Amino acid sequence: MSSFKDYLPRRRGSHRAHRKRPRTRAHRTPPPTADTSPGTSTDTSPGTTTPPEPAHAEEPADARAAFLALYEGQAATLLRQAVVLGGDHAVARRAVARAFRLAWESWPEVAAHEDPAAWVRAVCHEHALAPWQGYLPRRWREPAEPAGDEGPLLAALWALPPAYRRALLLADGLGLSQAAVAAECEASTAATVGRLVNARAALAERLPRVADRREALRRAVRAQRAVPP
């Protein structure tokens, strides 16, 4: 699967100004005497058909509807995931807001992506785990408390390195394959396997009484409150 960075907007160059001029034909086609409206063929030679008009870009109303459907279907889920990854509700809300803002700014590319939800998820997870989040002022943070039945699991998860947390959430929490996890995290398959092995071993050491840690992780994600921005 391609990285989400492949679908970020590109700078528009000046390539149109350097296009080669088409060669001039030896003879000119006589001016049409019939309908000359756009899309009407003026060539009456046998076997000639009117070429199809180029496909138009998605209409703004359709784009807004598609984006809104993506937001309504994924925002709450991504917010819960971001809280589990970063352990902070305020950071999670900003991560979700940033992911969807970038998605809208790059919507033609995101809409053409094989999995738009994965595009947004990758941006959200990266923002939630950005190293500079730890330097934010306290007034910009809202730490999550590892309480309840999921408290020990969350405490053990937040003790892991960020890369381990992300790989574990994608693989055990969301059920992605190792290849898909590696592609989304922009890591090699070998590195991804190593992260998963180490993360699972660390959780097993700290939570020996939890038989099914994958299901416990899924419950921890579902248990987070979710009020999308």
Side-chain angles (χ1 to χ4, degrees):
M1 184 179 69
S2 301
S3 168
F4 78 96
K5 292 182 179 179
D6 296 335
Y7 299 93
L8 291 178
R10 301 175 179 176
R11 295 182 178 178
R12 295 183 178 178
S14 57
H15 60 281
R16 291 189 177 181
H18 300 284
R19 288 181 178 175
K20 294 182 179 180
R21 298 181 59 185
R23 296 180 178 179
T24 306
R25 295 184 178 180
H27 63 279
R28 294 184 178 181
T29 305
T33 56
D35 185 8
T36 58
S37 58
T40 303
S41 174
T42 58
D43 191 351
T44 57
S45 58
T48 302
T49 57
T50 303
E53 295 184 359
H56 294 283
E58 190 178 16
E59 294 295 333
D62 296 337
R64 287 194 293 269
F67 175 81
L68 182 60
L70 179 65
Y71 180 85
E72 292 178 343
Q74 300 296 325
T77 299
L78 288 180
L79 184 59
R80 294 187 182 97
Q81 295 172 13
V83 173
V84 169
L85 283 177
D88 192 286
H89 292 285
V91 172
R93 288 193 295 270
R94 289 194 293 270
V96 172
R98 174 179 172 81
F100 279 100
R101 182 172 65 252
L102 291 180
W104 177 246
E105 293 174 356
S106 312
W107 185 246
E109 292 80 5
V110 176
H113 194 272
E114 59 182 353
D115 189 353
W119 193 101
V120 178
R121 182 177 63 224
V123 177
C124 177
H125 287 186
E126 285 205 354
H127 187 78
L129 292 174
W132 51 264
Q133 297 286 9
Y135 299 97
L136 292 175
R138 289 187 177 182
R139 65 180 181 274
W140 292 354
R141 301 180 66 89
E142 188 181 341
E145 297 295 335
D149 296 337
E150 293 77 22
L153 174 65
L154 291 177
L157 185 69
W158 295 336
L160 298 175
Y164 287 19
R165 278 179 256 163
R166 187 179 182 184
L168 194 66
L169 175 64
L170 293 174
D172 293 355
L174 306 184
L176 271 64
S177 66
Q178 293 179 352
V181 174
E184 186 160 328
C185 296
E186 297 183 323
S188 65
T189 303
T192 300
V193 172
R195 292 170 184 175
L196 290 174
V197 169
N198 292 332
R200 289 165 180 165
L203 290 186
E205 183 179 355
R206 297 194 60 173
L207 306 169
R209 297 184 179 181
V210 179
D212 192 346
R213 284 176 288 275
R214 294 186 180 184
E215 180 57 31
L217 180 58
R218 297 188 185 103
R219 288 199 306 268
V221 174
R222 294 193 298 266
Q224 303 306 312
R225 69 175 188 265
V227 181

